[in-house]
Amino acid sequence: MRIKNFSTPLLLGALLLSGCAQIPLSGQADAGWTTLFDSQSNLNSWTLVGDANWRIQDGAVQADFLRSKSPSYLVTKKTYQNMEIRAEVWVDSETNSGIFIRCQDPVKVGADNCYEVNIWDTRPDPSYGTGAIVDVAKVSPMPRAGGQWNVMEIIAKGDMLTVKLNGAV
């Protein structure tokens, strides 16, 4: 997972991967990009919120077990205002997951105080399912992410948010 800054960092980016999820580690370092995970990574630059079994395994950041009913998050310790995020994600078809950006409170992460780019193929209201920004931008038809590798790209520049899943906006 990599992030590209457009300006001085101000707000927090957060990542939620509950259920069975993986983000592969990348060793690439392109100009202007900050690598959040790479082949040398550990989770020291992240704050763990909640009680999942976050770990680096088989070249990916993984969590596949929640010890409680509360969600679990990995939250960047650095803050970012304008950003491009590129994440390769594998989730189970039942996984309720997502990438949260511009969070107001790094401890109380949720769609009510962050923008949540959703990854949830079985969401009861599919208009805010996989690929949607919960309560902000619906998706139709909803793409399916479960059981396969997906590339999610998020651009947050000023008041403009763009989400691509596997190249589709």
Side-chain angles (χ1 to χ4, degrees):
M1 174 182 277
R2 302 180 307 160
I3 188 166
K4 186 173 188 176
N5 283 321
F6 290 104
S7 66
T8 306
L10 294 175
L11 298 173
L12 183 71
L15 172 68
L16 157 72
L17 293 175
S18 60
C20 182
Q22 298 180 336
I23 296 180
L25 306 177
S26 167
Q28 297 178 343
D30 298 329
W33 287 87
T34 299
T35 300
L36 299 177
F37 296 110
D38 64 25
S39 60
Q40 309 303 312
S41 281
N42 53 45
L43 298 178
N44 293 342
S45 62
W46 296 82
T47 299
L48 281 64
V49 177
D51 197 21
N53 64 335
W54 292 101
R55 66 199 182 280
I56 296 174
Q57 182 177 325
D58 300 327
V61 175
Q62 298 184 30
D64 58 7
F65 179 75
L66 284 171
R67 293 177 185 93
S68 68
K69 291 188 179 198
S70 299
S72 183
Y73 306 90
L74 280 181
V75 180
T76 60
K77 289 184 179 178
K78 286 188 175 184
T79 60
Y80 302 92
Q81 181 182 15
N82 292 317
M83 66 198 81
E84 286 183 40
I85 299 171
R86 182 181 188 281
E88 295 177 31
V89 180
W90 188 97
V91 294
D92 184 271
S93 296
E94 301 297 315
T95 298
N96 176 2
S97 187
I99 297 175
F100 291 77
I101 62 173
R102 297 189 172 163
C103 296
Q104 295 171 11
D105 184 342
V107 177
K108 296 180 183 176
V109 178
D112 57 338
N113 68 349
C114 306
Y115 291 106
E116 177 186 4
V117 180
N118 214 354
I119 306 169
W120 189 6
D121 289 356
T122 58
R123 189 175 196 274
D125 176 4
S127 60
Y128 290 114
T130 298
I133 302 170
V134 177
D135 297 329
V136 174
K138 295 179 179 183
V139 64
S140 180
M142 183 186 74
R144 300 287 178 176
Q148 64 188 3
W149 281 103
N150 301 272
V151 175
M152 183 165 275
E153 298 170 89
I154 303 165
I155 299 172
K157 188 172 184 180
D159 61 357
M160 189 70 152
L161 301 176
T162 304
V163 175
K164 290 182 184 178
L165 182 66
N166 300 323
V169 178

